[in-house]
């Protein structure tokens, strides 16, 4: 783990500690920065791009939080355990886990390469499962787990079959884990963004397709990462009576 600060504040000062997977860019970065603005110490996870993760960490600190870098394959149980170990050593415990790490590969079902399907499943489903397994065992009372689903699970857009299937699995995990943590005072929810202006979403889409997606919302715009981060921050902090839910954060797309 690499820290951009010299201070390792203990849990006794009541600072909430969050792990954000996939925090080096897009929605993950916006979430990490928003949690920093809420005064949290944030574990900024990255898989391959350390420079982008360092940029995120600097933004977290500029917003008012503390930031430490953690790295590893979210789908690898030992790597996930190491991330939790590092943050517990640095800050004394973990209160919030946000599973933003994910990939999107699009093709009609009949044409999708099964290797691509396996890649989607490993990151989006197994990765969420493995990190949530550590969270369920180690997160402190009063904590929160926030998973990432997608509005495409109900929009049923062509070419999104495999991606939507992975997010449907995340929905099921979320609802069941919330019940399995009965008595622990830990909430488990998922946010399901609609069309959001990130590199992951915009990559490879022609301008006409993007314009069509923009007009799906009555607000006639794409979501911004900060729109999603605001909802995540609510679930990660004050929203103690929202539990076992999938929240569609999509500007009214139906």
């Amino acid at each position: 783990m690499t820290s951009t600060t010299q201070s390792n504040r203990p849990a006794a000062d009541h600072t909430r500690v969050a792990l954000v997977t996939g925090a080096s860019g897009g929605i993950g970065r916006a979430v990490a920065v928003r949690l920093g603005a809420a005064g949290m110490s944030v574990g900024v996870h990255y898989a391959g791009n350390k420079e982008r993760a360092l940029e995120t960490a600097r933004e977290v600190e500029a917003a008012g939080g503390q930031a430490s870098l953690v790295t590893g394959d979210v789908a690898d149980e030992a790597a996930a355990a190491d991330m939790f170990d590092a943050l517990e050593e640095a800050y004394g415990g973990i209160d919030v886990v946000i599973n933003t790490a994910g990939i999107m590969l699009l093709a009609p079902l009949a044409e999708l390469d099964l290797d691509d399907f396996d890649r989607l499943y490993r990151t989006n489903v197994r990765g969420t499962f493995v990190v949530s397994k550590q969270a369920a065992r180690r997160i402190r009372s009063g904590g929160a787990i926030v998973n990432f689903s997608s509005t495409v699970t109900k929009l049923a857009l062509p070419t999104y079959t495999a991606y939507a299937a992975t997010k449907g699995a995340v929905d099921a995990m979320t609802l069941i884990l919330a019940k399995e943590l009965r008595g622990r005072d830990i909430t488990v929810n998922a946010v399901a963004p609609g069309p959001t202006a990130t590199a992951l979403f915009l990559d490879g889409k022609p301008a006409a397709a993007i314009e069509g997606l923009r007009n799906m919302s009555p607000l006639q715009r794409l979501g911004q990462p900060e729109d999603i981060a605001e909802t995540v921050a609510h679930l990660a902090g004050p929203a103690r009576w929202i539990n076992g839910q999938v929240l569609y954060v999509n500007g009214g797309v139906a």
Side-chain angles (χ1 to χ4, degrees):
M1 181 184 70
T2 302
S3 176
T4 62
T5 66
Q6 299 300 313
S7 173
N8 288 333
R9 281 189 284 176
D13 69 358
H14 305 292
T15 297
R16 281 171 82 76
V17 178
L19 168 63
V20 181
T21 70
S24 61
I27 292 174
R29 172 178 286 192
V31 167
V33 173
R34 179 63 182 82
L35 297 184
M40 295 191 193
S41 298
V42 182
V44 176
H45 165 264
Y46 69 99
N49 196 324
K50 185 176 181 178
E51 286 305 311
R52 289 178 60 187
L54 281 168
E55 291 172 5
T56 300
R58 285 191 284 267
E59 290 185 28
V60 169
E61 293 180 338
Q66 289 192 104
S68 297
L69 301 190
V70 292
T71 187
D73 179 0
V74 291
D76 181 275
E77 193 163 22
D82 286 346
M83 289 188 283
F84 278 76
D85 288 344
L87 292 178
E88 286 177 344
E89 181 179 353
Y91 301 115
I94 299 178
D95 305 283
V96 175
V97 172
I98 315 293
N99 283 304
T100 70
I103 61 174
M104 180 187 294
L105 302 170
L106 304 180
L109 185 150
E111 299 173 16
L112 183 72
D113 188 294
L114 286 178
D115 287 341
D116 286 343
F117 180 85
D118 290 341
R119 286 177 59 203
L120 280 164
Y121 185 91
R122 178 175 175 79
T123 301
N124 297 0
V125 180
R126 181 184 167 104
T128 298
F129 189 96
V130 167
V131 174
S132 294
K133 183 177 181 180
Q134 291 293 322
R137 292 175 171 180
R138 301 166 71 162
I139 203 168
R140 293 186 285 207
S141 178
I145 299 170
V146 182
N147 294 326
F148 264 71
S149 180
S150 173
T151 294
V152 298
T153 58
K154 67 175 183 177
L155 292 180
L157 298 175
T159 74
Y160 282 82
T161 310
Y163 178 75
T166 66
K167 295 305 183 177
V170 169
D171 289 354
M173 269 190 274
T174 299
L175 303 184
I176 295 170
L177 183 57
K179 293 182 178 180
E180 290 179 345
L181 295 181
R182 173 182 291 272
R184 296 271 306 278
D185 190 24
I186 296 170
T187 61
V188 187
N189 295 288
V191 295
T196 305
T198 65
L200 177 71
F201 176 77
L202 297 175
D203 185 41
K205 290 184 174 67
I210 293 172
E211 185 63 22
L213 291 164
R214 186 193 315 275
N215 284 319
M216 290 178 71
S217 166
L219 301 177
Q220 294 187 299
R221 69 173 177 88
L222 295 177
Q224 297 298 315
E226 292 75 16
D227 294 322
I228 314 305
E230 196 64 36
T231 299
V232 173
H234 186 56
L235 295 173
R240 301 308 303 164
W241 199 235
I242 303 175
N243 190 30
Q245 304 297 317
V246 178
L247 278 69
Y248 290 90
V249 188
N250 59 23
V253 172

